[in-house]
Amino acid sequence: MVAAIELYLDVDTTRRVRNLWRALDAEGIPSLGSLHQKHRPHLSLAAAHRIDPHAVAEALSGFQVARPLPLSIDFVGQFVGRVLWLGVTVTEDLLSHHRAVHDRLSAAGVEIWDHYRPGRWVPHCTISLRVPNPVMAPAVRRCLEYLPLQATITGAAVADHANDISHPL
């Protein structure tokens, strides 16, 4: 199970990513959209097996987590385990926002996975968690057809879909 602090994308970008999910599903390539209907296209700032949404809300009180950050989504990537994602071009503004969130979480004792910490984080929008190896190349090609995307952050929440948690921030 995974819980995350998710940044949500503007309406147009959300529509485009959902269209990509549907295109992959139609080709027999499992997307995040077909995993269950709870996922929204997003950028995760932090993740762990469990995250207490009330502790996060308290740690981030008075801080604008969902400030309207502009994002450029320009490339496709893959993590070990056949996880396919759209890459967000790193900017100083995005990195400083990420660090500010983590400084507050750390000060409050909110534990997160190391690979989401500043200096290790790869900003991305997940497309699929388990692309079968024989269809990875077609999946990447399909993703490239949807790029580039210009997005804006419009919302944030602590999400733990396995436990039906979606706590807006």
Side-chain angles (χ1 to χ4, degrees), residues 3 50-58 105 110-111 158 160 165 167:
R50 292 200 188 282
I51 298 176
D52 178 351
H54 302 290
V56 170
E58 186 174 316
L105 296 175
V110 176
E111 294 293 322
V158 174
D160 181 344
I165 295 171
H167 185 91

Side-chain angles (χ1 to χ4, degrees), residues 13-160:
T13 305
T14 294
R15 180 186 51 79
R16 289 175 179 215
V17 172
R18 286 186 189 277
N19 286 341
L20 172 56
W21 286 349
R22 283 190 286 277
L24 290 170
D25 290 333
E27 295 172 22
I29 302 167
S31 77
L32 199 62
S34 61
L35 185 60
H36 52 66
Q37 300 304 309
K38 298 174 187 174
H39 281 291
R40 290 174 61 178
H42 67 275
L43 178 73
S44 293
L45 285 179
H49 288 293
R50 292 200 188 282
I51 298 176
D52 178 351
H54 302 290
V56 170
E58 186 174 316
L60 298 175
S61 178
F63 180 77
Q64 189 179 8
V65 180
R67 71 184 176 92
L69 281 168
L71 303 174
S72 292
I73 303 172
D74 297 312
F75 58 98
V76 179
Q78 178 186 2
F79 292 128
V80 173
R82 303 181 330 263
V83 176
L84 183 64
W85 44 270
L86 303 179
V88 176
T89 300
V90 175
T91 64
E92 285 298 320
D93 201 20
L94 179 60
L95 291 179
S96 65
H97 186 70
H98 179 253
R99 182 171 298 284
V101 168
H102 279 269
D103 287 349
R104 285 167 175 75
L105 296 175
S106 181
V110 176
E111 294 293 322
I112 59 115
W113 289 331
D114 284 340
H115 56 278
Y116 278 90
R117 294 189 188 285
R120 298 196 64 198
W121 177 59
V122 176
H124 66 280
C125 176
T126 302
I127 298 302
S128 177
L129 296 175
R130 298 265 188 272
V131 178
N133 285 329
V135 294
M136 182 59 78
V140 168
R141 280 193 298 275
R142 178 65 69 209
C143 289
L144 289 171
E145 293 172 0
Y146 284 77
L147 298 180
L149 295 171
Q150 298 304 309
T152 303
I153 299 303
T154 59
V158 174
D160 181 344

